[in-house]
Amino acid sequence: MTALERKKAKDLRGQQVFLRPEESSAPALGIRQSTTLSEQLQDALLRLAAVVDVRSLRVALRDSIQELLPSTECVCIYVLEGDSRLLSDDPPHEVPQEGKIRSAVEQQKRCECAGLPPSELPEKYRIFLAAPLLAHRRALVIPILDQDHNKVLAVLLVGCGPLSDQDELHLNVLGKHASVACVRIQAVQASYQRPPLSPSPLQSHNALLHLNVSEQDYCELDRNILQLCGELYDLDAASLQLKVINYLQQQTKSQCCCLLLVSEDNHQLFCQVVGDKVLEEEISFPLMFGRFGQVVEKKKSISLQDISAEERRQLSSMLGCEISSMLCVPVVSRATGHVVALACAFNKQGGQRHAEADEHVIQHCFCYTSTVLTSTLAFQKEQKLKVECQALLQVAKNLFTHLDDVSVLLQEIIVEARNLSDAEICSVFLLDRVSHELVAKVFDGGVVSDEENEFRIPADQGIAGHVATTGQILNIKDAYSHPLFYRGVDDSTGFRTRNILCFPIKDENNEVIGVAELVNKMNGPWFNRFDEDLATAFSIYCGISIAHSLLYKKVHEAQFRNTLANEMMMYHMKVSEEEVTKLLVTGIEPVKEIHPCFAEFTYTPRSLPDDTTPHGVLSMFEDMGFINTYKIDLHTLARFCLMVKKGYRDPPYHNWMHAFSVSHFCYLLYKNLGLSNYLEDIEILALFVSCMCHDLDHRGTNNSFQVASQSVLAALYSSEGSVMERHHFAQAIAILNTQGCNIFEKFSRKDYQRMLDLMRDIILATDLAHHLRIFKDLQRMADDGYNTKSRNHHSLLLCLLMTSCDLSDQTKDWKTTRKIAELIYKEFFSQGDLEKAMGNRPSEMMDREKAYIPELQISFMEHIAMPIYKLLSELFPGATELYERVAANREQWTKVSHKFTIRGLPSNNSLDFLDQEYELLQSQGAFGSDDHCLNGCLDDTEGSQGQ
């Protein structure tokens, strides 16, 4: 800030705004190479807040657009003149009456296109805006709207690059502030176009002649006033008043003169200059101060005999001398006809009284100078509004940098509120809705750390309680006369409360969250209307910052709780070195030694004992060549496998044994269908690891239940869909991030990111809703033939393979399929019981009282399972046997359905009775031999024997 700017800022203090803008320590814009977009937007808004005419508006808009939008090549600005003409000054021309630009104006909508018709553009802008533009260039037509009157105030034509979401946001904010600036400029222009209502110089001349003023005296007066007018050019308000007051003192031969300026919006008279002295702090009076208020109202002059002794005493105090004579003349604005000031002359030389000729000399002076005076005061007001905007923007910046600590934020609010309003004391209370109290733990002196020293008052008592209850601002000019004020504190401390401004602090829902109380206006008799407006604007920033600070605190607490919960979970899932060593001590067993048929579709992985399944996973990793190809550390792999196993809960079906079976089927697809001819190695690895992790931390309930019960998982993921699947992926990432478990640690950054992306997409594909959405695409791929060069075909095939692995129990023999159905419906019915307990109606398949299992199984196999394996067989002829086995199991469900006379499961939760006919047929050799015992699918006695 230059010395001149600091001087102007100092001159602006008083009248309505009592601000002390600090000198900015930020470097100039030209040398700030690291200015962020948010700072650029702030600079743009400051420019718009400072505009005072159309020319400065054009400059501010042009500079702002060029800074905010990418690769801006040109900006053409049209501003409304009159009721309908939109004019540009560079070069001078008008918006065409027809065409794309006019269409955007009439529709009042922003238009973004690849170019505008050349006929609508001046020659200067055609190279940047005329169609067709290059692919990376865009033409924008941006109407600036007055929403209240539903009209276009200005139009911007911009040639720039494509807009990002952030650019769109910046344009919306800039448009709103540009609209406010346009409305303000129109209001200022309109105020100077009204017909003159005050006496003209000619009328003043005639009045002087009527008073027998000689022609020679008039000519002298005329020369003096013309000389004065020549000296009033380009002066600030205080300097202009000094010149005028000096002139009045000479012409009326008075000891002292002053101007009492009228502030109608604040209902005050204020004085900035007395005699030849500019006051350091202006002196204010109520607008209706004694007889002076009648002068403003009736526009008639008064003398010393017309005022009271109290008014005479206050004037003597202001002047610093006794008053022997006085003349007070109203100064009427030629533009509005309203009184804008009172010209007062005191103590005529020689002890005489002021005469009517003195009154007309004063009127004659202001016939020539009132316009200059009012325009200077209007400019001062505009500058003051600019300072206010800058101060409020700085306040917002200060407040939003302290969101991490509510106490520090409240302390900052106190400081800013006191500085903005020039109050002696400020207090901030937050509303405690639980106890219905207003709580203050931050005072002017600092922060109270001990909760016992918090200051609490009932939320419906006193001045602060009244404001908290009503939500309305309360301005008390005389505290002691107000019924809500309690004098006890003043009496005990000796402090005197003169006046109070108390205002509510509200959140974005317009609910009161706190109250701020300002005490004792320092440079005025009380808080005025402008202070109320300033407090209202300030309270919006306070409400937003406090609400976000409290939310920030809650988020941090939630993050800490989440971190603690993850630490507890990982602690209980922790794999010891002994467990890793035990798993690796015998080395990796070849798959042939696990079972001769381990790599065949007929093998049932559930026949393996639970404690040997990690060995089976290591064997499959080795047999598929992943360990050597990706240089996976064996200890890391072993720890990862054990961590994944521990990451599964123990619901009837979605447990570790299910994950192991799904992973084994992936291994079977690799061994029997030649996946390496269809997919990249990294995609096959991602598929296998995803099969291991695809149901991590499954709770035995589906996505619909999570949403209906409003669970924590639903709160985290419901907006994105596939709640449980996203949780499974998150758990997989958590395990990979656990020390000593990252099997991809030797991947390059690019491969690592791709691996995680593949795992996410594959695990999300286990949501059957996702499968149904892409089924037509899968069918189209099968019909057209798989294209190994198509990235989309790779993605679709991975989804199909994952789903086929997830449902692979349906491809096993009848006993396995039947037993799996038993486990699934146990899990379903448990969820149905929970839904009933919540007061909800479960779906038929979840309701043990309504579910007819054979019918549900047949429907599932016909509509879901069989189409999946049919597609698989069309893509891989070697998968035909899988489809045939699923079809055979579907037929078996049809055969045994006549035995099923109940809904739900039998009382013993077993479907073993369905096996009698099957066993009879098997004994006759219809199905071949099956020597596998099914781990996780047998009764407890059988299961213990199997293990």
Side-chain angles (χ1 to χ4, degrees), residues 138-202:
R138 309 298 293 166
L140 303 181
V141 183
I142 308 171
I144 303 299
L145 306 178
D146 180 355
Q147 299 287 357
D148 294 337
H149 298 90
N150 193 31
K151 66 179 182 179
V152 176
L153 301 174
V155 177
L156 312 182
L157 300 186
V158 182
C160 63
L163 300 184
S164 65
D165 292 342
Q166 191 174 37
D167 296 330
E168 295 280 359
L169 176 63
H170 288 168
L171 270 184
N172 291 336
V173 175
L174 188 69
K176 293 177 181 178
H177 285 260
S179 174
V180 173
C182 290
V183 171
R184 184 173 71 247
I185 291 171
Q186 287 186 345
V188 172
Q189 290 176 335
S191 69
Y192 297 136
Q193 295 171 358
R194 297 172 183 163
L197 300 176
S198 59
S200 66
L202 179 60

Side-chain angles (χ1 to χ4, degrees), residues 26-80:
L29 180 63
I31 59 174
R32 285 186 300 175
Q33 300 300 323
S34 60
T35 302
T36 64
L37 281 175
S38 60
E39 290 173 337
Q40 290 177 347
L41 180 60
Q42 188 180 76
D43 291 340
L45 300 187
L46 285 174
R47 285 196 203 95
L48 287 175
V51 299
V52 294
D53 53 29
V54 174
R55 185 187 64 81
S56 59
L57 173 67
R58 293 181 191 275
V59 173
L61 284 174
R62 185 174 290 108
D63 291 347
S64 300
I65 290 291
Q66 288 175 341
E67 282 191 13
L68 291 176
L69 296 189
S71 306
T72 303
E73 290 183 338
C74 73
V75 181
C76 180
I77 300 172
Y78 300 89
V79 179
L80 181 66

Side-chain angles (χ1 to χ4, degrees), residues 94 159 258 275 317 392 399 418 423 429 493 518 566 624 640 676 697 759 765 787 789 802 902 939:
E94 187 176 349
C258 72
S317 175
L392 286 176
L399 295 186
R418 200 173 58 228
F429 300 86
T493 61
L518 301 168
N566 281 337
M624 296 170 80
F640 173 78
S676 56
D697 196 42
M759 286 181 62
N787 182 0
K789 296 181 180 179
M802 182 67 242
I902 60 171
D939 298 332

Side-chain angles (χ1 to χ4, degrees), residues 98-275:
E98 295 181 352
K100 203 173 249 187
I101 303 176
R102 178 60 65 177
S103 176
V105 172
E106 292 173 351
Q107 296 176 13
Q108 297 186 3
K109 290 184 179 179
R110 188 193 310 161
C111 171
E112 179 178 346
C113 58
L116 298 168
S119 59
E120 297 184 37
L121 300 169
E123 184 69 30
K124 176 178 179 179
Y125 298 111
R126 288 177 185 173
I127 188 173
F128 304 113
L129 295 171
L133 294 176
L134 297 175
H136 65 282
R137 306 303 302 169
R138 309 298 293 166
L140 303 181
V141 183
I142 308 171
I144 303 299
L145 306 178
D146 180 355
Q147 299 287 357
D148 294 337
H149 298 90
N150 193 31
K151 66 179 182 179
V152 176
L153 301 174
V155 177
L156 312 182
L157 300 186
V158 182
C160 63
L163 300 184
S164 65
D165 292 342
Q166 191 174 37
D167 296 330
E168 295 280 359
L169 176 63
H170 288 168
L171 270 184
N172 291 336
V173 175
L174 188 69
K176 293 177 181 178
H177 285 260
S179 174
V180 173
C182 290
V183 171
R184 184 173 71 247
I185 291 171
Q186 287 186 345
V188 172
Q189 290 176 335
S191 69
Y192 297 136
Q193 295 171 358
R194 297 172 183 163
L197 300 176
S198 59
S200 66
L202 179 60
Q203 291 171 321
S204 178
H205 182 192
N206 293 335
L208 289 169
L209 292 176
H210 178 71
L211 290 171
N212 298 318
V213 177
S214 68
E215 186 71 26
Q216 182 180 356
D217 290 340
Y218 176 76
C219 291
E220 180 67 24
L221 189 64
D222 210 27
R223 281 194 297 271
N224 292 336
I225 195 66
L226 289 175
Q227 182 179 354
L228 172 65
C229 290
E231 296 173 356
L232 298 183
Y233 177 76
D234 201 22
L235 296 177
D236 58 66
S239 300
L240 185 145
Q241 290 179 68
L242 277 173
K243 290 280 187 182
V244 173
I245 287 171
N246 182 56
Y247 173 85
L248 294 178
Q249 289 176 173
Q250 293 177 4
Q251 296 300 320
T252 62
K253 296 181 173 57
S254 300
Q255 178 186 348
C256 180
C257 291
C258 72
L259 286 176
L260 299 180
L261 303 174
V262 177
S263 175
E264 291 185 351
D265 51 353
N266 295 331
H267 305 287
Q268 284 187 331
L269 295 170
F270 60 95
C271 181
Q272 297 175 326
V273 180
V274 175

Side-chain angles (χ1 to χ4, degrees), residues 413-426 444 518:
I413 288 174
I414 286 176
V415 172
E416 296 291 351
R418 200 173 58 228
N419 291 342
L420 282 174
S421 62
D422 207 5
E424 185 177 359
I425 292 177
C426 176
D444 272 344
L518 301 168

Side-chain angles (χ1 to χ4, degrees), residues 357-624:
D358 295 317
E359 179 181 350
H360 280 278
V361 167
I362 295 174
Q363 288 177 344
H364 179 265
C365 170
F366 285 105
C367 281
Y368 290 92
T369 61
S370 64
T371 301
V372 180
L373 177 64
T374 53
S375 62
T376 303
L377 292 174
F379 178 73
Q380 176 178 276
K381 189 174 182 178
E382 287 294 322
Q383 289 294 97
K384 192 169 41 184
L385 291 174
K386 172 186 175 181
V387 174
E388 175 203 351
C389 292
Q390 290 174 328
L392 286 176
L393 285 172
Q394 186 61 41
V395 165
K397 183 177 180 180
N398 292 345
L399 295 186
F400 289 123
T401 55
H402 295 95
L403 294 181
D404 55 336
D405 191 323
V406 177
S407 296
V408 175
L409 174 63
L410 294 178
Q411 183 69 28
E412 189 69 22
I413 288 174
I414 286 176
V415 172
E416 296 291 351
R418 200 173 58 228
N419 291 342
L420 282 174
S421 62
D422 207 5
E424 185 177 359
I425 292 177
C426 176
S427 301
V428 177
F429 300 86
L430 292 184
L431 180 60
D432 185 343
R433 296 191 181 278
V434 177
S435 63
H436 196 58
E437 291 178 317
L438 289 170
V439 184
K441 61 184 300 183
V442 179
F443 304 91
D444 272 344
V447 181
V448 176
S449 57
D450 188 352
E451 289 191 4
E452 294 180 0
N453 293 325
E454 287 181 347
F455 183 67
R456 289 178 171 263
I457 59 174
D460 55 358
Q461 293 184 15
I463 294 171
H466 174 79
V467 172
T469 303
T470 63
Q472 301 296 320
I473 193 170
L474 185 60
N475 190 354
I476 301 173
K477 297 182 179 180
D478 184 359
Y480 285 1
S481 66
H482 199 278
L484 291 176
F485 181 71
Y486 174 64
R487 290 186 56 173
V489 176
D490 279 15
D491 293 338
S492 62
T493 61
F495 182 81
R496 175 171 172 75
T497 302
R498 293 183 288 104
N499 42 71
I500 297 173
L501 178 62
C502 191
F503 58 91
I505 298 173
K506 301 179 180 181
D507 61 14
E508 52 262 40
N509 298 320
N510 205 35
E511 294 185 359
V512 176
I513 60 174
V515 171
E517 192 173 78
L518 301 168
V519 177
N520 291 354
K521 180 76 171 176
M522 296 293 289
N523 63 343
W526 51 67
F527 295 100
N528 54 38
R529 177 64 180 275
F530 184 76
D531 292 318
E532 294 179 20
D533 294 340
L534 200 59
T536 302
F538 176 68
S539 69
I540 295 173
Y541 292 109
C542 294
I544 295 173
S545 59
I546 290 175
H548 282 76
S549 181
L550 295 174
L551 180 62
Y552 186 84
K553 182 180 178 183
K554 289 181 180 179
V555 170
H556 260 275
E557 291 174 351
Q559 286 179 334
F560 293 146
R561 287 194 296 270
N562 182 57
T563 301
L564 180 61
N566 281 337
E567 288 177 355
M568 292 176 62
M569 181 190 74
M570 289 303 174
Y571 173 78
H572 292 291
M573 288 173 57
K574 188 175 182 180
V575 175
S576 66
E577 284 299 320
E578 291 78 9
E579 291 176 285
V580 174
T581 303
K582 181 180 177 182
L583 179 58
L584 295 175
V585 67
T586 58
I588 298 178
E589 185 179 12
V591 293
K592 286 292 185 181
E593 295 184 12
I594 298 176
H595 193 282
C597 300
F598 189 82
E600 297 178 8
F601 283 126
T602 55
Y603 180 74
T604 305
R606 292 178 180 269
S607 60
L608 273 182
D610 181 77
D611 58 352
T612 64
T613 52
H615 293 89
V617 172
L618 294 181
S619 297
M620 288 186 285
F621 261 98
E622 175 67 26
D623 195 42
M624 296 170 80

